[in-house]
Amino acid sequence: MSVPNLRARLLVALTATAALVLTGCADRSGGGAAAGDDFPTGTITMFTPTSAGGATDLTARTLATEMEADLGTSVVVDNRPGGSGSVGMAHLAGLAPDGYSIAVLPVEVSMLGHQGYDTDPADYDFLGQANTQPGTVAVPASSPYTTLDELLAAAGAEPGRVTVSNAGPGSSWEAASKELARTAGVEFQGVPFDGGAPAVAAAVGGQVDAVVAGIGETAPAHDDGRLRVLAVFTPERAPALPDVPTATELGHDVVTGSWAVLAAPAGLPAEVRDRLEAAVRTAVDAEGYRELITSGGNLVEYRSAADTTAFVQEEHQRFGELAEAGQ
């Protein structure tokens, strides 16, 4: 065989070998497009648009642990707080839809677009719902108001006099407070705080007439006598407060709360989306996750990817209508 022909054959063989090596590296990188049954082949990052230590962060870390076992790969949590959650949500939306970047997103994903932020549910492929935190309205233990109707009657008699604390501008609890006032035809004086915990503390201390906050924050204070929860914003009575009526029972059609869903950048390959959806379902069903959520008075509430997508769109429309109504 001539030298030129030998060199040509060696060049072809080396080129083919290099292509195989590069293909194998790409498959293990975890950063490129995922391929069907091979997914996942690398680390998955689970973002949260909140600081470490909060309820959303704890939900994410527990789900990440459960999903690791199911997916057979590492799932690491990356906190991206700021801008009422818009910073983390925008970061996720700008990443490749390959399945290696997912997130636990709170209810604000359906709200922020109506508040001037460049965030829209259409930016994401939703993988499932993980939980719900029912809303509540509560008063200090020393309050003269022993029922929701008494509180609303006072607000109706003197519009703007009854003070109601909430978790701050743009929060789900501010929206719930306004929805209750609108439904009852009364006017509260909203008192915003930087989060649900200080809003509840203000009510416990008697600094406000009432507070609208999540059941995980009000139920403990109700149980030890520091607060009196007057109603929960659930379709049926909440297991954590079985003796407290729903607002609907009392004639006020307010069913609202906070929730957490899992999502990825829009455009996931179908087989990757299906694999992640199955992992989310397994994680939500895990005993460790259920114990975490229910111990705080919250509800484990799973929805499929399709049902979650429809639910978030409905919530987005509802919050838009509230915004247009000036509520």
Side-chain angles (χ1 to χ4, degrees), residues 233-306:
F233 302 141
T234 48
E236 300 176 352
R237 294 197 179 194
L241 294 171
D243 296 329
V244 176
T246 68
T248 302
E249 281 182 63
L250 301 174
H252 306 287
D253 188 19
V254 180
V255 178
T256 189
S258 181
W259 39 258
V261 298
L262 284 95
L268 285 178
E271 62 273 18
V272 174
R273 183 186 64 243
D274 292 346
R275 182 69 185 93
L276 287 171
E277 179 183 9
V280 169
R281 176 61 185 266
T282 298
V284 172
D285 282 342
E287 182 178 353
Y289 176 74
R290 289 181 169 271
E291 289 179 353
L292 168 74
I293 296 303
T294 56
S295 65
N298 301 319
L299 306 175
V300 175
E301 185 166 1
Y302 173 78
R303 282 186 170 93
S304 67

Side-chain angles (χ1 to χ4, degrees), residues 59-84:
T59 295
R61 293 182 187 279
T62 306
L63 288 172
T65 299
E66 300 294 349
M67 290 179 70
E68 281 184 341
D70 183 73
L71 292 169
T73 193
S74 297
V75 180
V76 298
V77 175
D78 187 341
N79 300 89
R80 298 285 176 126
S84 299

Side-chain angles (χ1 to χ4, degrees), residues 105-247:
L105 300 182
V107 61
E108 282 77 14
V109 69
S110 64
M111 301 172 65
L112 292 177
H114 303 301
Q115 300 168 14
Y117 294 95
D118 186 18
T119 300
D120 191 293
D123 296 335
Y124 313 100
D125 280 349
F126 294 99
L127 307 170
Q129 182 178 351
N131 62 57
T132 294
Q133 178 172 202
T136 65
V137 55
V139 297
S142 60
S143 172
Y145 311 122
T146 59
T147 67
L148 179 60
D149 283 341
E150 290 178 358
L151 177 70
L152 295 175
E158 297 184 61
R161 185 186 69 81
V162 173
T163 55
V164 180
S165 59
N166 61 65
S171 70
S172 57
W173 305 131
E174 182 196 47
S177 177
K178 292 182 175 181
E179 187 171 358
L180 174 62
R182 178 181 60 83
T183 301
V186 302
E187 181 182 338
F188 296 138
Q189 179 182 331
V191 183
F193 284 83
D194 186 17
V200 170
V204 169
Q207 300 169 29
V208 293
D209 295 312
V211 59
V212 170
I215 197 170
E217 292 160 325
T218 60
H222 175 90
D223 290 341
D224 65 21
R226 291 175 296 145
L227 283 181
R228 185 185 308 122
V229 177
L230 302 181
V232 294
F233 302 141
T234 48
E236 300 176 352
R237 294 197 179 194
L241 294 171
D243 296 329
V244 176
T246 68

